Structures are given as C-alpha cells and as structure tokens.
Amino acid sequence: MDLKPEEHPKGSFILVLIFFAIFMGMYLLNWKQLSEIWHVG
Amino acid sequence: MSEFRTCSITGLKVHLPAEKLIKINAVTAIVFLLVGGILGLLMVLTRWQAVHLLPAELFYRLLTLHGIAMLVAWIIFWEMAALYLTSAVLLNSRLAVPWVGWLQYLLMLVGGGIVTVIVLIGGADVMFTSYVPLKAHPLYYLGVILFAVGAILGCVVFFATVVVAKTEGTYTGSLPLVTYGAACAAIIAIITLSHGAIVFIPTLLWSAGLIPPMDAEVYRLIFWGFGHSSQQINVCTMVAVWYMLGSLTVGSSPLNEKVCRTAFVLYVLFICIASEHHILVDPGFSAAHKSWNTSYFMHLAVLASMIHAFSVPAATEVALRKKGYTRGTFEWLKKAPWGNPGWSSLFLSLVGFGFLGGTTGVIYGTEQLNILSHNNLRIPGHFHATVVAGTTLAFMGGTYYVLPLIFQREVAFPGLAKIQPYLFGIPIMLFSTFMMVAGGFGVARRSADMYGSGGFSVEYSPIVDISLSIMGLSGVVACLGGAAFCVIAVATLLIGKKIS
C-alpha cells in the first residue's frame, strides 16, 4: 500500500511501544515476585 | 436465483438458506449469553466475599454451567453464524449442503440442552474441566460429544462452501482476509473439537461403567487440547472480526495482507500447543516437554498476535488519516467514531485482549512463572480479559452489524447501543484486573469460600478485600452491560424497524 508521509501509522507505532513497555514491566514484576518467593533475588 | 436476495447496504448476494442458519445460530448464541450472564452475576456475588451469596454446592454446580454456557455455547454458536457469514455471504456464494448446517444446529442445540439439564439437576458437579476421576452422569459426556460433532459439521459446511464458491467463480483471487481468518479458525476448531470427541468418548464409556477409568494425566493432556484450544478458535475468529469491524466502521484495509495471512497461519501451526500450559505443574511430563511447548512454540503464536496487534490499529489509523485526520500523532484516534458501537467494541476489545489478556497469558504460561498463578484468581482474571473483554466484546460489535445486514432491522435503542460497549468493556477490564490482583495475593480460584471450609483457615492481606470489592462491583456493572446488549438484540428482532 502506497502511503503519503502524513498517512503513515505513527500513532499505532507509539501505542505498540507503550504496549511493549507495559508487557516488559509486568514480566519483570512477575520474575521479581518469583525470585522473592524462592529467596533467590 | 430466487434463493438469493441482494443486500441493500453492501450489495452482496445473500443466500437465503445461509441467512436462516446465521439467524438461528446467532439467536441461540445470545440466549446462551443471557443464561451464562445471569450465572456470571451469581458467581460474582459469591466470589465477592462481602456478599458470598451461594452455598458451596450450588456455587460449584452453577460455575460448571457458567463455564459451559459462556466458554463453549455462546461463543461457538456465534462462531457458526460467523462461519456461514464469512463463507456464503462474503463470497457471494450459495451455502453448500444447508441440511448439514441444520444438522449442525440440531446436534449443538440438543447437546447443549442435555448438558444444561444434567448440570442443573446435579448430575455433573464436575466443573468445566470434568477431570477424571470426578464422574458425571453419562448423558453429560454424550451432550458434550453431540455438541462437538455438531460444531465439526459446521466447519465442514464452511469448507464445502468455500470450495463451491471457488468452483462456481463467485469470487476472484485469494480469499478475502476475513474469510481467510475464519478458515484458519475452522481448522483450529476441527483440531480442537476432535480432541473433545477423543477425550469424551472413553470418558462416556467409563461413566457408563463399560471400561476402566482413564489415566488422569492422559485425560488432562487431551482435555486441554479441547478446553483451551476452544479458546484459540475464539482468538482467531476475534481477529478476523477485528479486521471486519475495521473495514465496516472506518473503511480500513490491512497494510500488508501477506503478513496478516502469515500471522493467521502461525495461529494454525502453534496456537493449540498453548493449551499445554495447563499441565505445567503436573509431574507426569518432563521439564523439556513443558518448556518447548509453552516457552518456545507458544511464542510463535504470540508473534502472530503481536503482528495483528499492530496491523489492526495501523489499518484503522491509515483509513482515518486518509479521511484527513492527519494532525499530530493521535488526531485520528480523537476523531474516530466513538459513538459507533462497532468501533468502540473493536477498540476496547483490542485493549482488553492485548494489554490485559495477552500479556498475562504469556506471563502465566511461562513455566517458571506459572507457579505464581496456578489455581489462583489470576487465571480467571486472565481469561475473562481474553474471552470476555476480548472475544465477547468483539462479537458484540460484530452483532451490531449482523442485525441490520442479516436480520434487516435497524438496531433498537440506538442511544443505549452507543454506550453499551463502554458499559460492558470498561467494567469487565476492571473486573479482570482486580481478580488478578486478588489472585496475586493468594485467593484461590474455583473456591466457594476463600477462607476455607474444609477444616482450615487462611489469612489474607487487606488488599484482597478491596480488590474483591472492586471486582464484585465492576462485575455487577459488566453484567448490566451484557444485559443491555441482550435487550438491544432481542428488541431489535422484535420491534426493530424493518430495513427494506
């Protein structure tokens, strides 16, 4: 699909970055919780 | 040709036998949604510890039926309607073998009816999973088998219709993306429902006293090929519905169809393997087996979801930008048709499924992390985000288009329809979130009394009470949102203005 510069989906790209940041944060929190329960953190 | 009508809105030819089957499956789906929703309200009012409505026996009985009505009946009946819509209607074709379609409907209805009655009379207090050696009445297993066979027949009709459409040249080129997605869902459905038939036939024979009990570990492995993979049919269909809603609401088309189709193929190849995370704490399988299936192969299905997670909003963004909403980064989002229930359902479904359901699914399905969530409220929190905030909301959005296009009636109570996706979607996300918070503090799932009624007692953090209260309140509001959807759908059928 040929897009003009102003038609590029910049907003969706930022939404996806926010999604990845939340995903990583939640992942890390879970690993941290596991390490505390197993006393290896 | 008299068996066709031309849709005044889309210009598509609609095969009348297909239309009848779409209508009957969609209406039955909504009836099961209503039943499951009422049971859901009772579940909420019991797990909300401050209310704690139902006694234990009734709680487990109705929880069994809630799971079946919502996870299986509502969704698979709706998917049967979607299969006929995306094959016969979208391909401008006649429906192949409509009588098999009616057989599908009858088998699913009879099977679903038998299961409902048996559970209600107390013949199957075995929960949705019906793990052996818990034993239900043989008719319960027979009902599930009839339902599964009926759904397989629906998939057969879908593929036969695609072949008919191709042979008779009713469409050119590749299958439309939505039909392609539905085809992938139908393949997953056949894999899934075959697991259901395989696991429930010996269980039926065992329940009838004809063969010895099944090995519990083998049962669990095969059962989850049905129990969880049935939710993967939903994921695949939901994504197809997202593309359809994007097209219908803002006129979007995928930026790169080949990539989207590849993502659907990844679902077919790898998503059923995700069901193995249910056996992550079982001792019978090796760590390598568990890791390969849930931490490597499963991530290829997650990759497919990641592709769709960018592709769907990006397609709608481009469509809105082409309409002139190009200022800044998010003007397109501000100017999106938020009053259109199809759009709001699509967007809330994307957020609920992606941010809540998808992320937690990957995290909880990781072998080491699974021990934090196994059998506590984190798990139902996760799947209420995927199946309710994600799939159910997307299907509700799809229904707002099925009503005028197939039932040929204007949606009743348009003011209520505008707010219904918010009334349902936002509370159900809160419900899921706080269910997961409570689970994180150790509240068990599938438990009528979190404080223990079997001779033990447990103490919890005060956060648990707050979380369960928010969960309870938001669950009640979500039930009202679901009831609003049922009222709108039924009123549309009964008093909705006829579209000529």
Side-chain angles (χ1 to χ4, degrees):
Chain A
M1 186 185 283
D2 291 327
L3 299 175
K4 294 175 192 165
E6 67 272 20
E7 291 171 355
H8 281 276
K10 291 169 273 194
S12 296
F13 185 67
I14 289 174
L15 288 177
V16 168
L17 290 182
I18 294 169
F19 169 79
F20 275 129
I22 291 173
F23 196 171
M24 285 170 59
M26 286 170 65
Y27 227 140
L28 287 173
L29 274 176
N30 275 270
W31 279 108
K32 187 170 185 309
Q33 189 186 359
L34 186 68
S35 71
E36 284 170 1
I37 288 171
W38 282 354
H39 302 293
V40 293
Chain B
M1 287 300 289
S2 60
E3 282 201 303
F4 287 89
R5 70 170 175 86
T6 303
C7 176
S8 59
I9 301 166
T10 61
L12 289 168
K13 278 194 319 179
V14 180
H15 189 223
L16 297 179
E19 186 179 74
K20 282 181 191 161
L21 278 165
I22 294 168
K23 284 179 177 176
I24 194 81
N25 279 288
V27 168
T28 311
I30 290 170
V31 170
F32 273 104
L33 177 68
L34 184 63
V35 171
I38 293 167
L39 296 170
L41 182 63
L42 296 173
M43 296 302 104
V44 169
L45 293 176
T46 306
R47 290 311 315 255
W48 182 0
Q49 194 64 28
V51 180
H52 201 56
L53 182 70
L54 296 178
E57 190 178 335
L58 201 54
F59 170 79
Y60 293 117
R61 184 168 302 161
L62 298 186
L63 181 57
T64 305
L65 193 56
H66 172 64
I68 291 164
M70 295 303 236
L71 282 173
V72 179
W74 138 249
I75 282 176
I76 296 185
F77 270 113
W78 202 96
E79 282 162 353
M80 290 298 117
L83 287 182
Y84 299 141
L85 179 78
T86 54
S87 57
V89 178
L90 289 191
L91 300 179
N92 269 315
S93 170
R94 66 182 171 86
L95 188 75
V97 284
W99 69 269
V100 180
W102 282 103
L103 186 59
Q104 161 265 310
Y105 176 73
L106 284 174
L107 284 173
M108 284 176 60
L109 186 68
V110 171
I114 290 173
V115 169
T116 303
V117 171
I118 294 294
V119 173
L120 282 177
I121 62 174
D125 294 339
V126 290
M127 314 290 278
F128 173 71
T129 45
S130 55
Y131 285 147
V132 295
L134 288 177
K135 188 186 276 187
H137 191 282
L139 283 176
Y140 171 82
Y141 304 108
L142 181 67
V144 177
I145 292 166
L146 291 177
F147 190 95
V149 171
I152 290 174
L153 289 180
C155 298
V156 170
V157 174
F158 170 84
F159 285 116
T161 304
V162 171
V163 171
V164 164
K166 188 73 181 171
T167 310
E168 297 180 356
T170 61
Y171 73 98
T172 52
S174 307
L175 281 177
L177 184 64
V178 175
T179 308
Y180 187 87
C184 292
I187 295 169
I188 296 170
I190 289 176
I191 298 167
T192 301
L193 297 163
S194 303
H195 278 86
I198 291 167
V199 78
F200 281 113
I201 288 170
T203 316
L204 164 67
L205 297 175
W206 160 70
S207 170
L210 299 174
I211 61 171
M214 241 179 128
D215 179 83
E217 188 69 82
V218 171
Y219 175 91
R220 286 165 63 81
L221 179 67
I222 304 174
F223 171 82
W224 283 114
F226 164 75
H228 197 91
S229 301
S230 60
Q231 309 321 310
Q232 316 301 10
I233 313 170
N234 308 340
V235 171
C236 203
T237 312
M238 175 189 68
V239 173
V241 170
W242 282 350
Y243 284 112
M244 184 181 81
L245 285 173
S247 171
L248 290 170
T249 53
V250 297
S252 69
S253 55
L255 301 185
N256 188 324
E257 274 212 27
K258 279 186 185 168
V259 172
C260 298
R261 286 170 195 265
T262 306
F264 275 120
V265 172
L266 285 175
Y267 275 155
V268 172
L269 294 176
F270 296 106
I271 205 164
C272 289
I273 289 166
S275 63
E276 293 233 355
H277 65 251
H278 286 276
I279 54 169
L280 280 175
V281 297
D282 286 19
F285 297 95
S286 70
H289 175 95
K290 294 170 186 173
S291 284
W292 272 103
N293 285 306
T294 63
S295 298
Y296 296 105
F297 292 142
M298 190 184 86
H299 287 169
L300 293 168
V302 175
L303 174 65
S305 290
M306 297 285 185
I307 291 169
H308 294 304
F310 177 69
S311 176
V312 174
T316 58
E317 179 179 355
V318 168
L320 287 162
R321 283 178 177 274
K322 280 181 183 290
K323 290 180 180 174
Y325 303 128
T326 54
R327 267 191 297 160
T329 310
F330 289 115
E331 191 197 19
W332 63 279
L333 200 55
K334 285 183 208 156
K335 297 288 173 63
W338 293 103
N340 178 340
W343 168 264
S344 50
S345 298
L346 163 63
F347 203 83
L348 289 172
S349 167
L350 260 169
V351 171
F353 182 85
F355 283 77
L356 278 178
T359 52
T360 53
V362 174
I363 293 167
Y364 301 167
T366 301
E367 190 190 1
Q368 296 87 339
L369 298 177
N370 182 263
I371 199 73
L372 294 174
S373 54
H374 209 87
N375 278 343
N376 65 40
L377 273 183
R378 279 184 171 193
I379 300 299
H382 150 72
F383 68 69
H384 279 82
T386 54
V387 183
V388 191
T391 306
T392 295
L393 196 50
F395 287 3
M396 285 175 173
T399 305
Y400 285 117
Y401 282 93
V402 169
L403 291 171
L405 297 178
I406 299 298
F407 289 87
Q408 297 173 270
R409 290 190 182 267
E410 285 182 14
V411 172
F413 308 131
L416 181 61
K418 274 186 185 178
I419 60 165
Q420 185 274 326
Y422 302 100
L423 192 60
F424 180 74
I426 294 169
I428 202 67
M429 284 187 233
L430 279 171
F431 172 86
S432 300
T433 303
F434 282 93
M435 211 175 204
M436 287 188 269
V437 172
F441 283 90
V443 180
R445 65 182 294 205
R446 297 168 158 178
S447 174
D449 185 358
M450 63 185 251
Y451 286 108
S453 53
F456 61 92
S457 62
V458 190
E459 285 187 13
Y460 295 96
S461 159
I463 294 171
V464 164
D465 288 327
I466 298 167
S467 299
L468 290 178
S469 298
I470 299 173
M471 180 200 85
L473 282 170
S474 50
V476 170
V477 178
C479 286
L480 290 175
F485 170 77
C486 294
V487 167
I488 293 165
V490 172
T492 301
L493 301 186
L494 298 178
I495 58 168
K497 191 177 166 190
K498 190 92 176 143
I499 298 171
S500 59

